[in-house]
Amino acid sequence: MNVVVTGGGMAGMEFLRHASKLPLNITLIEPKRVMVCQALLPELLSDKVDESSLCVKIDEFCDRAGVEFVRDRAKYVENGLIVTEKGRLIEYDIVVLAVGAETNYYGIKDAELTHNVNTLEATLKAKKALDKAERVVVVGSGITGVEIALELAELGFDVRVVESMNRVLPTFSPKVSNFVYKIMKKDGIEVETSTTVLKVDDDGVITSRGKIYGDMVIWCAGLKPSSFVENLDVPKEKGWVKVDPFLRANGYFAIGDCAFVNIDGHIATKTALEAEMQAKHVAKNVERILKGDRLTRYRIRSSLDKPIAMIMLAKGRAILVYKGRLISKPMKLIYKIKKIAIERFLRSFT
Ligand SMILES: Cc1cc2nc3c(=O)[nH]c(=O)nc-3n(C[C@H](O)[C@H](O)[C@H](O)COP(=O)(O)OP(=O)(O)OC[C@H]3O[C@@H](n4cnc5c(N)ncnc54)[C@H](O)[C@@H]3O)c2cc1C
């Protein structure tokens, strides 16, 4: 049976780690050389970790796991074949979509000219730009925006955060937001909530409340579905692949950030934990297909109404939000646990 995985990020690689033990011909289509642990990108920006400690070499992993690695980008699907950008046609019996997400600029003028930390390349570019900056504007205060702002404040940058909602970490409870807001203020960060960026220019951003000056702008305001998904004939929710409780959509499996998982009214968060769990579940379901068994339903671990997240707050601190509840003590221990969990995850590929 031919299984093709599009995307070798956290979800795709975790699927491969499990499914490569099964009697399958597996092909991975991924344009990048390495899998990146995005959770460490804020610390790469602040120079706490180096590039090698957050990357897994995909070719070496695929060699060991017996997976064919096609270093290319899936472009579209036609007549039962995946067509890549370089013109390869790849046959499949099962496709696992794991193409992640792209930065969303919401059509805001010149927002594409800002920096971001969504990929390794973008983070390294932003890191270089920091050499010439003193004032940094961070747009968006979800987990990434908060982590970046605090890392930069620790380094002594003058940081202003702009958030369109009325509090930081708006998808979490007000208790979590207030706790983190106080830390941000204490660390000297200016936070402008209920403020929308209208335009980006050479020396900052123009917002609904006036100009905010900055030597560089880091965009942490949101994600949108990958362009590959746009052209696929699958059910969608705001462009994301809308899967059933078995994580299937019109004959494809979809996992990780590219998937919209709504089971019994609970919506999965776009997090590493969900990417890993979904990947493992789909590998199990593929095994069931091989054995002729019935597929089993997925169980969401971290949903928007009861999220699970470890949020790093610089200075060796982190908090845990468990099923929506704030666990803020001891912050240094939570930070250490998060680092150990990431290290273990990365080591499982070597
Ligand atoms: C800065 C940052 C910090 C984060 N911190 C945390 C955290 O602390 N905790 C947490 O739980 N989550 C965190 N996340 C979210 C987490 O990293 C993602 O939810 C997770 O990586 C999703 O995995 P994925 O495989 O779906 O997507 P990705 O890991 O983004 O991988 C997608 C892959 O698909 C490839 N791809 C794209 N298009 C194509 C195509 N057409 N053909 C083939 N391949 C393609 C890409 O090159 C990429 O390698 C963070 C994210 C960011 C950006």
Side-chain angles (χ1 to χ4, degrees), residues 6-12 29-32 36 38-39 41-42 72-75 98-101 117-118 143-144 147 226 228 255-258 270-273 275 310 338:
T6 57
M10 286 191 118
I29 308 173
E30 162 64 54
K32 293 183 183 150
V36 175
Q38 292 171 330
L41 291 175
D72 203 345
R73 188 175 284 276
K75 206 171 166 194
V99 287
V117 287
N118 291 338
I143 297 183
T144 307
E147 290 187 346
S226 139
F228 174 61
I255 53 176
D257 283 1
C258 71
K270 298 201 181 298
T271 50
L273 172 66
M310 278 178 165
K338 174 157 184 169

Side-chain angles (χ1 to χ4, degrees), residues 185-242:
K185 292 300 283 179
K186 206 167 165 202
D187 283 10
I189 298 169
E190 284 298 318
V191 183
E192 312 285 349
T193 51
S194 305
T195 306
T196 310
V197 172
L198 304 173
K199 188 174 175 280
V200 175
D201 59 21
D202 290 345
D203 55 356
V205 293
I206 296 176
T207 76
S208 50
R209 293 177 172 221
K211 173 104 185 191
I212 297 177
Y213 289 92
D215 306 312
M216 73 184 275
V217 178
I218 306 184
W219 196 263
C220 304
L223 299 171
K224 66 172 187 179
S226 139
S227 41
F228 174 61
V229 163
E230 259 172 47
N231 306 320
L232 274 186
D233 178 22
V234 286
K236 305 224 177 100
E237 176 77 29
K238 293 186 180 144
W240 308 103
V241 181
K242 191 175 174 181

Side-chain angles (χ1 to χ4, degrees), residues 167 172-180 326:
R167 56 191 172 91
F172 291 87
S173 71
K175 199 170 171 187
V176 174
S177 296
N178 286 339
F179 183 85
V180 171
L326 170 66

Side-chain angles (χ1 to χ4, degrees), residues 32-177:
K32 293 183 183 150
R33 208 174 39 82
V34 289
M35 177 193 79
V36 175
C37 176
Q38 292 171 330
L40 288 179
L41 291 175
E43 290 200 340
L44 177 69
L45 187 71
S46 59
D47 223 8
K48 282 190 186 142
V49 297
D50 63 15
E51 202 179 318
S52 64
S53 62
L54 53 91
C55 292
V56 171
K57 287 185 182 146
I58 297 178
D59 58 349
E60 289 178 8
F61 168 78
C62 285
D63 279 351
R64 273 194 308 276
V67 170
E68 188 191 348
F69 176 26
V70 174
R71 193 151 168 227
D72 203 345
R73 188 175 284 276
K75 206 171 166 194
Y76 55 89
V77 181
E78 199 172 67
N79 303 326
L81 295 167
I82 297 186
V83 183
T84 70
E85 253 173 27
K86 292 178 189 158
R88 268 188 74 164
L89 305 175
I90 300 175
E91 279 182 40
Y92 63 84
D93 300 301
I94 291 175
V95 176
V96 179
L97 303 169
V99 287
E102 291 173 8
T103 308
N104 197 345
Y105 297 109
Y106 304 100
I108 294 167
K109 194 164 182 305
D110 291 336
E112 328 80 68
L113 306 177
T114 60
H115 289 274
N116 70 73
V117 287
N118 291 338
T119 63
L120 176 65
E121 300 73 22
T123 309
L124 292 172
K125 196 170 156 223
K127 193 173 169 185
K128 248 193 192 153
L130 282 175
D131 288 343
K132 292 188 193 141
E134 278 175 24
R135 298 165 306 174
V136 182
V137 180
V138 175
V139 182
S141 69
I143 297 183
T144 307
V146 162
E147 290 187 346
I148 292 295
L150 283 160
E151 287 297 325
L152 296 182
E154 186 184 1
L155 291 178
F157 287 94
D158 175 355
V159 184
R160 306 259 316 250
V161 173
V162 189
E163 168 58 56
S164 63
M165 306 297 276
N166 62 359
R167 56 191 172 91
V168 299
L169 295 171
T171 62
F172 291 87
S173 71
K175 199 170 171 187
V176 174
S177 296

